[in-house]
Amino acid sequence: MPGRVDAEQLVKAALEGDRSSLARLISVVERGGPLARAVGRLTYPRGGRAYSVGITGAPGSGKSTLTDRLIAEVRGQGGQVAVLAVDPSSPFSGGAILGDRVRMQDHAVDPGVFIRSMATRGHMGGLALAVPEAIRVLDAAGMPIVLVETVGVGQVEIEVAGATDTTVVVVNPGWGDAVQANKAGLLEIADILVINKADRPGARETHRDLALMLELSTFGDWRPPIVETVASTGQGVAELWGELGRHRAFQEERGALDRRRAKRLEDELRTIVTRRLEQRADSLSTSASYDSVRSAMIERQLDPYQAADEIVDGLAR
Amino acid sequence: MPGRVDAEQLVKAALEGDRSSLARLISVVERGGPLARAVGRLTYPRGGRAYSVGITGAPGSGKSTLTDRLIAEVRGQGGQVAVLAVDPSSPFSGGAILGDRVRMQDHAVDPGVFIRSMATRGHMGGLALAVPEAIRVLDAAGMPIVLVETVGVGQVEIEVAGATDTTVVVVNPGWGDAVQANKAGLLEIADILVINKADRPGARETHRDLALMLELSTFGDWRPPIVETVASTGQGVAELWGELGRHRAFQEERGALDRRRAKRLEDELRTIVTRRLEQRADSLSTSASYDSVRSAMIERQLDPYQAADEIVDGLAR
């Protein structure tokens, strides 16, 4: 059919290195639906090599500048890198690259760098399901490193940044005393803690606070290191890059990376199953049997829980 | 069985006016589970006469004092009244009546007043499902008026206060410029807007702001009135009581009350169905077939969406 987007052709082109096809694939995945499902089926078997890094922290903590520096670090070593900038608060995506994002566009002319922002679109499960799919597309397209940067620290953003191979949490000196980061659930997902803008007053106190909070929390064999950076000058970025490599090696040596990825897929599967069941309940609600159960409930012949049992049991029939 | 709580006996005693049995029924419903289901089946057919009023607003806006005044208003007319004080942030309930609640306890010796606080307990669907059940128990027990007061304006509290026959939203002069109330989604659920502490500076501006926001929003045939009260002195409370009666009569005349209640039951039914399906998905996740699908996914033979389809289709088999 002329004009119809063909998943197979698009995936083929993206895998051969065509960046505009790759960008279109991310948009497809962002919107969800049957085409996205086709893209998922075609790309998933070809993945498994990309290493994903989540970068999260409060707005203004300097995540974009830090991401920019990490891009330069990867490029300096000759590697390719993809960046997904995730903004659940925005109805815009793709072309809508604003503010801090502008800086990253210095890399936009570099064919070794692929940058894309993702916002809330039509995807059934929102960004929490769309972003892992996008990472898999980038993985299949041969991107060895995928950086996932969030705009803020909302629940979705924490979920998205946590669903990566290494999660970097960025705080600032005195930023809510680092206690805010703890309250927001950021410490729980952090593999590496970064104090950015560490040339500002209060860095030492924030470092001490974070160290204390780590002391009080439980973690496995990996103790999250605390790295001080000044992203604007590049100070500490090499050290951060080193810690990223150290965490990767740590996980690869122990089989922890495979377990982490399997766990992530299982969580994703459970979420998709729940969504599917909700959709089924929604589609049921227009059926004739649902209608009669609903009437019986409103006429007080069945209480809402008995009515629910009737409907759920009806699903299996 | 000695010592075993018998739903039938408890319901019978509560319906005959025993207040401690009624209090136990609310606790049963709060915890959820099979006993709560039995209580629901026994009480639901006996209800339909109670009129429920939700009272929500930011902490400190004076909701408890206002509720206290409304209790006095009902009692002055010789009616009985029940109050559910809903606190999703608290792990305590029942006995844990603190601060503002203490004042209401003046009514605790009055046999025409039944006060109970509800917090997050074991109920599968949380307070959003437990509170409507509790209202039905109070309804069956013959309470003609049920006031549902929330502690704050969290999502659950807005949901709970909105799932009543008349919803009262309380703001204060200058309280975040009333704009906050709008942002929090409070204006959407308000049938009556109250500016409490209206003797404080800024009441006129807040009144004007609310009127403007109502002007800009869409509502049906009922235009929410704005009532100014000073709950601490009782000023404006008679007017608020009058507006409650006016809203009730307005709905009863047009059949709107029955439609509102039917809509509420349908929403509740849908929520219960979804929860049941989630539970089913959870119980499935330990089954052998789930295990083989999960393995196929991790070995990249099925992508997560194909795996989800296998599992969901398996449900119907």
Side-chain angles (χ1 to χ4, degrees):
Chain A
M1 257 184 284
R4 192 171 171 282
V5 184
D6 185 302
E8 229 161 305
Q9 279 182 5
L10 216 48
V11 168
K12 187 167 178 286
L15 265 56
E16 283 166 357
D18 179 47
R19 289 305 160 85
S20 81
S21 296
L22 185 55
R24 283 183 73 188
L25 283 181
I26 303 290
S27 297
V28 163
V29 154
E30 199 178 21
R31 270 193 302 272
L35 193 60
R37 294 291 68 74
V39 169
R41 281 191 297 274
L42 291 164
T43 52
Y44 182 62
R46 294 162 184 272
R49 290 176 308 279
Y51 196 86
S52 59
V53 177
I55 301 164
T56 190
S61 57
K63 296 180 298 292
S64 288
T65 315
L66 206 59
T67 302
D68 192 51
R69 292 285 175 182
L70 289 174
I71 294 172
E73 201 72 30
V74 185
R75 295 302 291 142
Q77 303 186 2
Q80 292 200 348
V81 59
V83 179
L84 292 174
V86 177
D87 186 0
S89 64
S90 170
F92 305 107
S93 66
I97 292 166
L98 299 162
D100 284 348
R101 294 285 119 67
V102 172
R103 183 198 307 263
M104 281 195 218
Q105 295 306 297
D106 294 350
H107 297 291
V109 293
D110 176 349
V113 181
F114 178 85
I115 298 172
R116 186 82 192 168
S117 56
M118 289 184 78
T120 303
R121 291 280 275 274
H123 197 291
M124 162 186 89
L127 286 165
L129 283 179
V131 172
E133 274 193 272
I135 295 174
R136 285 196 289 268
V137 167
L138 295 166
D139 184 2
M143 287 291 172
I145 303 277
V146 179
L147 305 177
V148 179
E149 183 210 326
T150 70
V151 165
V153 285
Q155 207 206 309
V156 172
E157 286 157 296
I158 290 176
E159 203 175 327
V160 161
T164 49
D165 297 328
T166 297
T167 305
V168 177
V169 168
V170 184
V171 302
N172 287 158
W175 172 60
D177 265 323
V179 173
Q180 287 302 326
N182 197 7
K183 274 194 188 166
L186 286 172
L187 252 58
E188 283 166 46
I189 60 160
D191 299 303
I192 298 174
L193 284 160
V194 170
I195 304 172
N196 190 37
K197 306 184 185 177
D199 54 343
R200 294 200 179 166
R204 198 187 305 172
E205 291 75 7
T206 300
H207 198 122
R208 207 176 46 212
D209 289 351
L210 287 174
L212 178 66
M213 284 186 284
L214 284 176
E215 211 57 60
L216 296 173
S217 60
T218 50
F219 41 82
D221 294 337
W222 174 260
R223 186 196 172 85
I226 303 168
V227 182
E228 296 191 12
T229 61
V230 184
S232 57
T233 66
Q235 184 194 314
V237 173
E239 191 195 338
L240 170 58
W241 184 245
E243 291 292 355
L244 279 167
R246 202 165 69 80
H247 184 237
R248 179 176 185 164
F250 174 88
Q251 292 190 98
E252 283 172 345
E253 276 164 26
R254 284 164 181 76
L257 186 58
D258 287 341
R259 283 196 301 276
R260 181 175 180 139
R261 288 174 173 179
K263 167 78 169 57
R264 223 153 65 204
L265 283 167
E266 283 168 29
D267 290 346
E268 191 180 342
L269 174 60
R270 178 179 296 229
T271 304
I272 300 165
V273 167
T274 302
R275 290 280 176 288
R276 285 257 191 280
L277 292 174
E278 283 171 355
Q279 287 176 327
R280 191 167 279 207
D282 278 352
S283 67
L284 263 182
S285 69
T286 55
S287 72
S289 63
Y290 196 104
D291 254 2
S292 70
V293 168
R294 182 164 41 200
S295 300
M297 173 183 72
I298 288 164
E299 287 154 19
R300 293 186 182 265
Q301 292 153 9
L302 294 173
D303 85 4
Y305 291 81
Q306 291 172 303
D309 286 341
E310 289 276 327
I311 289 164
V312 174
D313 291 346
L315 265 179
R317 279 199 289 268
Chain B
M1 252 184 288
R4 193 170 171 279
V5 184
D6 185 301
E8 231 160 305
Q9 278 184 3
L10 217 47
V11 169
K12 187 167 177 285
L15 265 57
E16 282 168 359
D18 179 48
R19 289 305 160 83
S20 80
S21 295
L22 185 55
R24 283 182 73 187
L25 283 180
I26 304 291
S27 297
V28 163
V29 154
E30 197 177 22
R31 270 193 303 270
L35 194 59
R37 295 291 66 73
V39 169
R41 281 191 297 275
L42 291 164
T43 52
Y44 183 63
R46 295 163 184 271
R49 290 176 308 277
Y51 195 87
S52 59
V53 176
I55 301 165
T56 189
S61 56
K63 295 181 300 293
S64 287
T65 315
L66 207 58
T67 303
D68 191 50
R69 292 285 175 183
L70 290 174
I71 294 172
E73 202 70 33
V74 184
R75 294 302 292 143
Q77 303 187 1
Q80 293 201 347
V81 59
V83 179
L84 292 174
V86 177
D87 186 0
S89 64
S90 169
F92 304 106
S93 67
I97 292 166
L98 298 163
D100 283 350
R101 293 287 120 68
V102 172
R103 182 196 307 265
M104 279 196 220
Q105 295 306 299
D106 295 348
H107 297 291
V109 293
D110 177 350
V113 181
F114 178 85
I115 299 172
R116 187 82 194 170
S117 56
M118 289 183 78
T120 304
R121 291 279 276 275
H123 198 289
M124 159 187 91
L127 285 165
L129 283 180
V131 172
E133 275 193 271
I135 295 174
R136 285 196 289 268
V137 167
L138 295 166
D139 184 2
M143 286 291 173
I145 303 278
V146 179
L147 305 177
V148 179
E149 183 211 325
T150 69
V151 165
V153 285
Q155 207 204 309
V156 172
E157 286 156 297
I158 290 176
E159 204 175 325
V160 162
T164 50
D165 297 328
T166 297
T167 305
V168 177
V169 168
V170 184
V171 303
N172 286 157
W175 173 58
D177 262 324
V179 173
Q180 287 301 328
N182 198 8
K183 274 196 188 164
L186 286 173
L187 252 57
E188 283 166 48
I189 61 160
D191 299 303
I192 298 174
L193 285 160
V194 170
I195 304 173
N196 191 36
K197 305 183 185 176
D199 54 343
R200 296 201 179 165
R204 198 187 305 171
E205 291 76 5
T206 300
H207 198 122
R208 208 177 45 214
D209 290 352
L210 287 174
L212 178 67
M213 284 187 283
L214 284 176
E215 211 56 62
L216 298 172
S217 60
T218 51
F219 42 83
D221 294 336
W222 175 260
R223 185 195 173 85
I226 302 168
V227 183
E228 296 191 11
T229 61
V230 184
S232 57
T233 67
Q235 185 193 314
V237 173
E239 191 194 339
L240 169 59
W241 183 245
E243 292 291 355
L244 279 166
R246 203 166 68 81
H247 184 237
R248 179 175 185 166
F250 174 89
Q251 292 190 99
E252 281 172 346
E253 275 162 28
R254 283 165 180 74
L257 186 57
D258 287 342
R259 284 196 300 277
R260 182 174 179 140
R261 289 176 174 179
K263 166 79 169 55
R264 223 154 65 202
L265 281 167
E266 284 168 28
D267 290 347
E268 190 180 341
L269 174 60
R270 179 179 297 228
T271 305
I272 300 166
V273 168
T274 302
R275 291 281 176 292
R276 285 256 192 281
L277 293 173
E278 283 171 356
Q279 287 176 328
R280 192 168 277 208
D282 278 352
S283 67
L284 263 181
S285 70
T286 54
S287 71
S289 63
Y290 196 106
D291 253 5
S292 70
V293 168
R294 180 165 41 201
S295 299
M297 174 183 72
I298 288 163
E299 286 153 20
R300 294 187 181 265
Q301 292 152 9
L302 294 173
D303 85 4
Y305 290 82
Q306 292 171 302
D309 286 341
E310 290 274 330
I311 288 164
V312 174
D313 291 347
L315 264 180
R317 278 197 290 267

Coordinates of all heavy atoms in Angstrom, one line a residue, chain A residues 39-105:
Chain A
V39 N 7.0 -3.7 15.4 CA 8.4 -3.2 15.5 C 9.0 -4.0 16.7 O 10.2 -4.4 16.6 CB 8.4 -1.7 15.8 CG1 9.8 -1.2 16.2 CG2 8.0 -0.9 14.5
G40 N 8.3 -4.1 17.8 CA 8.8 -4.9 18.9 C 9.2 -6.3 18.6 O 10.3 -6.8 18.9
R41 N 8.3 -7.0 17.8 CA 8.6 -8.4 17.4 C 9.8 -8.5 16.5 O 10.6 -9.4 16.6 CB 7.4 -8.9 16.7 CG 6.2 -9.4 17.6 CD 5.2 -10.2 16.8 NE 4.5 -9.4 15.8 CZ 3.5 -8.6 16.0 NH1 2.9 -8.5 17.2 NH2 2.9 -7.9 15.0
L42 N 10.0 -7.4 15.7 CA 11.2 -7.5 14.8 C 12.5 -7.1 15.4 O 13.5 -7.6 15.1 CB 10.9 -6.5 13.6 CG 9.8 -6.9 12.6 CD1 9.4 -5.8 11.8 CD2 10.3 -8.1 11.7
T43 N 12.4 -6.2 16.4 CA 13.7 -5.7 17.0 C 14.1 -6.5 18.2 O 15.3 -6.7 18.5 CB 13.6 -4.2 17.4 OG1 12.4 -4.1 18.2 CG2 13.5 -3.3 16.2
Y44 N 13.2 -7.0 19.0 CA 13.5 -7.7 20.3 C 14.6 -8.9 20.1 O 15.5 -8.9 20.8 CB 12.3 -8.2 21.0 CG 12.5 -8.8 22.3 CD1 13.1 -8.1 23.4 CD2 12.2 -10.2 22.5 CE1 13.3 -8.7 24.6 CE2 12.4 -10.8 23.8 CZ 12.9 -10.0 24.8 OH 13.2 -10.6 26.0
P45 N 14.4 -9.7 19.1 CA 15.3 -10.8 18.9 C 16.7 -10.4 18.6 O 17.7 -11.2 18.7 CB 14.7 -11.7 17.8 CG 13.3 -11.2 17.6 CD 13.3 -9.8 18.1
R46 N 16.9 -9.2 18.1 CA 18.2 -8.7 17.6 C 18.9 -7.9 18.7 O 19.9 -7.3 18.4 CB 18.0 -7.8 16.4 CG 17.5 -8.5 15.2 CD 16.9 -7.6 14.2 NE 16.3 -8.3 13.1 CZ 17.0 -8.7 12.0 NH1 18.2 -8.4 11.9 NH2 16.3 -9.3 11.0
G47 N 18.4 -7.8 19.9 CA 19.0 -7.0 20.9 C 19.8 -7.8 21.9 O 20.0 -9.0 21.8
G48 N 20.2 -7.1 23.0 CA 20.9 -7.7 24.1 C 22.4 -7.2 24.2 O 23.0 -7.6 25.2
R49 N 22.8 -6.3 23.4 CA 24.2 -5.8 23.5 C 24.3 -4.4 24.1 O 25.3 -4.1 24.6 CB 24.9 -5.9 22.1 CG 25.2 -7.3 21.6 CD 25.8 -7.3 20.2 NE 25.0 -6.5 19.3 CZ 23.9 -6.9 18.7 NH1 23.4 -8.1 18.9 NH2 23.2 -6.2 17.9
A50 N 23.2 -3.6 23.9 CA 23.3 -2.2 24.4 C 23.4 -2.2 25.9 O 22.7 -3.0 26.6 CB 22.1 -1.5 23.9
Y51 N 24.1 -1.2 26.4 CA 24.2 -1.0 27.9 C 23.4 0.3 28.2 O 23.7 1.3 27.6 CB 25.6 -0.9 28.4 CG 25.7 -1.0 29.9 CD1 25.8 -2.3 30.5 CD2 25.7 0.1 30.7 CE1 25.9 -2.4 31.8 CE2 25.8 -0.1 32.1 CZ 25.9 -1.3 32.6 OH 25.9 -1.5 34.0
S52 N 22.4 0.2 29.0 CA 21.6 1.4 29.3 C 22.0 2.0 30.6 O 22.2 1.4 31.6 CB 20.1 1.0 29.3 OG 19.8 0.0 30.2
V53 N 22.0 3.4 30.6 CA 22.3 4.1 31.8 C 21.2 5.1 32.1 O 20.9 6.0 31.2 CB 23.6 4.9 31.7 CG1 23.9 5.7 32.9 CG2 24.8 3.9 31.5
G54 N 20.5 5.1 33.2 CA 19.5 6.1 33.6 C 20.1 7.2 34.4 O 21.0 7.0 35.2
I55 N 19.7 8.4 34.1 CA 20.2 9.6 34.8 C 19.0 10.4 35.3 O 18.2 10.9 34.5 CB 21.1 10.4 33.8 CG1 22.3 9.6 33.3 CG2 21.6 11.7 34.6 CD1 23.0 10.2 32.1
T56 N 18.8 10.4 36.6 CA 17.7 11.2 37.1 C 18.1 12.1 38.3 O 19.2 12.0 38.8 CB 16.6 10.2 37.5 OG1 15.4 10.9 37.8 CG2 17.0 9.3 38.8
G57 N 17.2 13.0 38.6 CA 17.5 14.0 39.6 C 16.6 15.2 39.4 O 15.9 15.3 38.4
A58 N 16.5 16.0 40.4 CA 15.6 17.1 40.4 C 15.8 18.1 39.2 O 17.0 18.1 38.7 CB 15.6 18.0 41.7
P59 N 14.8 18.8 38.7 CA 15.0 19.7 37.6 C 16.1 20.8 38.1 O 16.1 21.2 39.2 CB 13.6 20.4 37.5 CG 12.7 19.5 38.1 CD 13.4 18.8 39.2
G60 N 16.9 21.1 37.2 CA 18.0 22.1 37.5 C 19.2 21.5 38.2 O 20.1 22.3 38.5
S61 N 19.2 20.2 38.4 CA 20.4 19.6 39.0 C 21.6 19.5 38.1 O 22.7 19.1 38.5 CB 20.1 18.3 39.7 OG 19.5 17.4 38.8
G62 N 21.3 19.7 36.8 CA 22.4 19.7 35.8 C 22.5 18.4 35.1 O 23.6 18.0 34.6
K63 N 21.4 17.6 35.0 CA 21.5 16.3 34.3 C 21.8 16.4 32.9 O 22.6 15.6 32.3 CB 20.1 15.6 34.5 CG 19.7 15.3 35.9 CD 18.3 14.6 35.9 CE 17.2 15.4 35.4 NZ 16.9 16.6 36.2
S64 N 21.3 17.4 32.2 CA 21.5 17.6 30.7 C 23.0 17.9 30.5 O 23.6 17.3 29.5 CB 20.6 18.6 30.1 OG 19.3 18.2 30.1
T65 N 23.5 18.8 31.3 CA 24.9 19.1 31.1 C 25.8 17.9 31.3 O 26.8 17.6 30.6 CB 25.3 20.3 32.0 OG1 24.3 21.3 32.0 CG2 26.7 20.9 31.6
L66 N 25.4 17.1 32.3 CA 26.2 15.9 32.7 C 26.1 14.9 31.5 O 27.1 14.3 31.2 CB 25.6 15.3 34.0 CG 26.5 14.5 34.9 CD1 27.7 15.3 35.3 CD2 25.7 14.0 36.1
T67 N 24.9 14.7 31.0 CA 24.6 13.8 29.9 C 25.5 14.2 28.7 O 26.1 13.4 28.0 CB 23.1 13.8 29.5 OG1 22.4 13.5 30.7 CG2 22.8 12.8 28.4
D68 N 25.5 15.6 28.5 CA 26.3 16.1 27.4 C 27.8 15.7 27.6 O 28.4 15.3 26.6 CB 26.2 17.6 27.5 CG 26.7 18.3 26.3 OD1 26.3 18.0 25.2 OD2 27.5 19.3 26.5
R69 N 28.3 15.8 28.8 CA 29.7 15.4 29.1 C 29.9 13.9 28.9 O 31.0 13.5 28.4 CB 30.0 15.8 30.5 CG 30.1 17.3 30.8 CD 31.3 17.9 30.2 NE 31.3 19.4 30.3 CZ 32.3 20.2 29.9 NH1 33.3 19.6 29.2 NH2 32.2 21.5 30.0
L70 N 28.9 13.1 29.2 CA 29.1 11.7 29.1 C 29.1 11.3 27.6 O 29.8 10.4 27.2 CB 27.9 10.9 29.8 CG 28.0 11.0 31.3 CD1 26.8 10.3 32.0 CD2 29.3 10.3 31.8
I71 N 28.3 12.0 26.8 CA 28.3 11.8 25.3 C 29.7 12.1 24.8 O 30.3 11.2 24.1 CB 27.3 12.8 24.6 CG1 25.9 12.5 25.0 CG2 27.5 12.7 23.1 CD1 24.8 13.5 24.5
A72 N 30.3 13.2 25.3 CA 31.7 13.5 24.8 C 32.6 12.4 25.2 O 33.6 12.1 24.5 CB 32.1 14.9 25.4
E73 N 32.4 11.9 26.4 CA 33.3 10.8 27.0 C 33.3 9.6 26.0 O 34.3 9.1 25.7 CB 32.8 10.5 28.4 CG 33.9 9.8 29.3 CD 35.0 10.8 29.7 OE1 34.7 12.0 29.9 OE2 36.1 10.3 29.9
V74 N 32.0 9.2 25.7 CA 31.8 8.0 24.8 C 32.4 8.3 23.5 O 33.2 7.5 22.9 CB 30.3 7.7 24.7 CG1 30.2 6.4 23.8 CG2 29.7 7.5 26.0
R75 N 32.2 9.5 22.9 CA 32.7 9.8 21.6 C 34.2 9.9 21.6 O 34.8 9.5 20.6 CB 32.1 11.1 21.1 CG 30.5 11.1 20.9 CD 30.1 10.1 19.9 NE 30.5 10.4 18.6 CZ 31.0 9.5 17.7 NH1 31.1 8.2 18.0 NH2 31.3 9.9 16.5
G76 N 34.8 10.4 22.7 CA 36.2 10.5 22.8 C 36.9 9.1 22.6 O 38.0 9.0 22.2
Q77 N 36.1 8.0 23.0 CA 36.6 6.7 22.9 C 36.2 6.0 21.6 O 36.4 4.8 21.4 CB 36.2 5.9 24.1 CG 36.6 6.5 25.4 CD 36.3 5.7 26.7 OE1 35.8 4.6 26.5 NE2 36.6 6.2 27.8
G78 N 35.5 6.8 20.8 CA 35.1 6.3 19.4 C 33.8 5.5 19.4 O 33.5 5.0 18.3
G79 N 33.1 5.4 20.5 CA 31.9 4.7 20.5 C 30.7 5.5 20.1 O 30.8 6.7 20.0
Q80 N 29.6 4.8 19.7 CA 28.4 5.5 19.4 C 27.5 5.6 20.7 O 27.7 4.8 21.6 CB 27.6 4.7 18.3 CG 28.3 4.7 17.0 CD 27.3 4.4 15.9 OE1 26.2 3.9 16.1 NE2 27.7 4.6 14.6
V81 N 26.6 6.5 20.7 CA 25.8 6.7 21.9 C 24.4 7.3 21.5 O 24.3 8.1 20.6 CB 26.5 7.6 22.9 CG1 26.8 9.0 22.4 CG2 25.6 7.7 24.2
A82 N 23.4 6.7 22.1 CA 22.0 7.3 22.0 C 21.5 7.9 23.3 O 21.9 7.4 24.3 CB 21.0 6.1 21.5
V83 N 20.8 8.9 23.2 CA 20.2 9.6 24.4 C 18.7 9.6 24.2 O 18.2 10.1 23.2 CB 20.7 11.0 24.5 CG1 20.1 11.7 25.8 CG2 22.3 11.0 24.7
L84 N 18.0 9.2 25.2 CA 16.5 9.4 25.3 C 16.3 10.4 26.4 O 16.6 10.1 27.6 CB 15.8 8.1 25.6 CG 15.8 7.0 24.5 CD1 15.2 5.7 25.0 CD2 15.1 7.5 23.2
A85 N 15.7 11.5 26.1 CA 15.4 12.5 27.1 C 13.9 12.4 27.4 O 13.0 12.7 26.5 CB 15.7 13.9 26.6
V86 N 13.5 12.0 28.6 CA 12.2 11.6 28.9 C 11.4 12.7 29.7 O 11.9 13.1 30.8 CB 12.2 10.3 29.7 CG1 10.8 9.9 30.2 CG2 12.8 9.2 28.9
D87 N 10.3 13.1 29.2 CA 9.6 14.2 29.9 C 8.1 13.9 29.9 O 7.3 14.2 29.0 CB 9.8 15.5 29.1 CG 9.1 16.7 29.8 OD1 8.5 16.5 30.9 OD2 9.2 17.8 29.3
P88 N 7.7 13.2 31.1 CA 6.3 12.8 31.2 C 5.3 14.0 31.3 O 4.1 13.8 31.1 CB 6.2 12.0 32.5 CG 7.6 11.9 32.9 CD 8.4 12.9 32.3
S89 N 5.8 15.2 31.6 CA 4.9 16.3 31.8 C 4.6 17.0 30.5 O 3.7 17.8 30.4 CB 5.6 17.3 32.7 OG 6.7 17.8 32.1
S90 N 5.3 16.6 29.4 CA 5.1 17.3 28.1 C 4.3 16.5 27.2 O 4.4 15.3 27.1 CB 6.5 17.5 27.5 OG 6.3 18.0 26.1
P91 N 3.3 17.1 26.5 CA 2.6 16.5 25.5 C 3.4 16.4 24.2 O 2.9 15.8 23.2 CB 1.3 17.3 25.4 CG 1.7 18.7 25.8 CD 2.9 18.5 26.7
F92 N 4.5 17.1 24.1 CA 5.3 17.2 22.9 C 6.5 16.2 23.0 O 6.9 15.8 24.0 CB 5.9 18.6 22.7 CG 4.8 19.6 22.7 CD1 4.7 20.5 23.8 CD2 3.9 19.7 21.6 CE1 3.7 21.4 23.8 CE2 2.9 20.6 21.6 CZ 2.8 21.5 22.7
S93 N 7.0 15.9 21.8 CA 8.2 15.0 21.8 C 8.9 15.2 20.5 O 8.6 16.1 19.8 CB 7.7 13.5 21.9 OG 7.0 13.2 20.8
G94 N 9.8 14.3 20.2 CA 10.5 14.4 19.0 C 11.2 15.7 18.7 O 12.3 16.0 19.2
G95 N 10.5 16.6 18.0 CA 11.1 17.8 17.6 C 11.2 18.8 18.7 O 12.0 19.7 18.7
A96 N 10.4 18.6 19.8 CA 10.3 19.6 20.9 C 11.5 19.5 21.8 O 11.5 19.0 22.9 CB 9.1 19.4 21.7
I97 N 12.6 20.0 21.4 CA 13.8 20.0 22.2 C 14.1 21.4 22.7 O 14.4 22.3 21.9 CB 15.0 19.4 21.4 CG1 14.7 17.9 21.2 CG2 16.3 19.6 22.2 CD1 15.6 17.3 20.1
L98 N 14.1 21.6 23.9 CA 14.1 22.9 24.5 C 15.2 23.1 25.5 O 15.8 22.2 26.0 CB 12.8 23.2 25.2 CG 11.5 23.1 24.4 CD1 10.3 22.9 25.3 CD2 11.4 24.4 23.5
G99 N 15.4 24.4 25.8 CA 16.3 24.7 26.9 C 17.6 24.0 26.9 O 18.4 24.1 26.0
D100 N 17.9 23.3 28.0 CA 19.1 22.5 28.2 C 19.4 21.6 27.0 O 20.6 21.3 26.7 CB 19.0 21.6 29.4 CG 19.2 22.5 30.7 OD1 19.6 23.6 30.6 OD2 18.9 21.9 31.8
R101 N 18.3 21.1 26.4 CA 18.5 20.2 25.3 C 19.3 20.8 24.1 O 19.9 20.1 23.4 CB 17.1 19.8 24.7 CG 16.2 19.0 25.6 CD 16.7 17.6 25.7 NE 17.1 17.3 27.1 CZ 16.2 17.2 28.1 NH1 14.9 17.4 27.9 NH2 16.6 16.9 29.3
V102 N 19.2 22.1 24.0 CA 19.9 22.8 22.9 C 21.4 22.5 22.9 O 22.0 22.3 21.8 CB 19.7 24.4 23.0 CG1 20.5 25.1 22.0 CG2 18.2 24.7 22.9
R103 N 22.0 22.5 24.1 CA 23.4 22.2 24.2 C 23.8 20.9 23.5 O 24.7 20.7 22.8 CB 23.8 22.2 25.7 CG 25.3 22.0 25.8 CD 25.6 21.6 27.3 NE 25.0 22.5 28.2 CZ 25.7 23.5 28.8 NH1 27.0 23.7 28.4 NH2 25.1 24.3 29.6
M104 N 22.9 19.9 23.9 CA 23.2 18.5 23.3 C 23.2 18.5 21.8 O 23.7 17.6 21.2 CB 22.1 17.5 23.8 CG 22.4 17.1 25.2 SD 21.3 15.6 25.4 CE 20.8 15.8 27.1
Q105 N 22.5 19.5 21.2 CA 22.4 19.5 19.8 C 23.7 19.8 19.1 O 23.8 19.7 17.9 CB 21.3 20.5 19.4 CG 19.9 20.1 19.8 CD 19.5 18.7 19.3 OE1 19.5 18.4 18.1 NE2 19.3 17.8 20.3

